[in-house]
Amino acid sequence: MKKQQALNSTDKKFLEKCVGLAREAYQAGDSPFGSVLVDKNNMVLATARNRVNEKTAMAHPEIELAQWALDNLNKEERRNATMYTSGEHCPMCAGAHAWSQVGRLVFLSSAQQLKTWQEEANMPEAPINFIPSREIIKNVAIDGPYDGELLEEIKKLQFATFSREKSK
């Protein structure tokens, strides 16, 4: 796993927005994941949050934004865009990101961290293997995970979700 790095102010601003969307997802009964698609001028193009409970098990925000990018941006605009997300892509979302050709991915917590947190909470094993996005996506700049209070906030939301799932 890549060593955690320091956040620059632009990345922090958009990852904060992702955490806010993750909080909205949690409050709606979903797992806490949120994502933001930004153009080369750092203008927000689209946002999404996990909507698995509303739709299907595949209603991940990264897939929604990859599809939005394909529907609304040309190839050059996609390659100059950045997808920010509260948690590293699952393999399904990594594939969507790769096929949409969005040029950069920035994630707060890693898939390996999520796996570790699930194990710590004695949650059932996930139905997928947690594979780093760097091993799935080609030709995309990938940054993350990041340490600090934003990571702690997303970790707390994940553990609150685990607790809620156990009580069902």
Side-chain angles (χ1 to χ4, degrees):
M1 181 172 73
K2 188 174 177 181
K3 186 179 185 296
Q4 291 177 336
Q5 41 196 301
L7 278 171
N8 68 43
S9 61
T10 300
D11 292 345
K12 183 177 182 185
K13 174 177 83 170
F14 292 120
L15 287 175
E16 285 172 344
K17 189 162 185 64
C18 291
V19 171
L21 290 162
R23 192 176 309 105
E24 285 179 28
Y26 171 78
Q27 291 167 347
D30 275 305
S31 292
F33 292 96
S35 302
V36 177
L37 186 65
V38 177
D39 72 10
K40 69 179 181 178
N41 298 313
N42 294 320
M43 299 297 297
V44 173
L45 298 170
T47 64
R49 67 165 177 83
N50 194 314
R51 294 186 184 279
V52 169
N53 288 337
E54 291 176 37
K55 297 179 179 180
T56 73
M58 295 187 344
H60 294 194
E62 302 94 334
I63 289 178
E64 183 177 331
L65 292 184
Q67 185 64 58
W68 188 95
L70 285 166
D71 291 343
N72 294 282
L73 303 175
N74 65 41
K75 193 173 190 176
E76 182 181 346
E77 290 168 327
R78 292 193 310 270
R79 286 186 174 165
N80 288 313
T82 299
M83 187 181 301
Y84 290 90
T85 189
S86 59
E88 183 175 15
H89 293 336
C90 71
M92 175 180 69
C93 293
H97 189 124
W99 287 111
S100 71
Q101 298 180 324
V102 170
R104 183 174 180 231
L105 166 62
V106 179
F107 61 89
L108 179 57
S109 63
S110 72
Q112 184 58 51
Q113 287 170 312
L114 179 59
K115 179 182 179 185
T116 300
W117 297 340
Q118 288 175 333
E119 290 168 354
E120 289 173 11
N122 296 315
M123 293 300 291
E125 193 172 294
I128 60 165
N129 291 316
F130 289 97
I131 301 169
S133 295
R134 289 174 179 88
E135 293 183 23
I136 298 171
I137 304 172
K138 296 178 181 180
N139 305 316
V140 169
I142 301 176
D143 296 304
Y146 292 98
D147 207 359
E149 59 186 70
L150 280 178
L151 179 67
E152 289 305 312
E153 192 170 343
I154 205 65
K155 182 178 180 181
K156 286 178 186 173
L157 283 169
Q158 291 292 351
F159 274 89
T161 301
F162 303 154
S163 179
R164 181 173 63 198
E165 291 298 314
K166 284 182 177 180
S167 67
K168 287 185 179 179

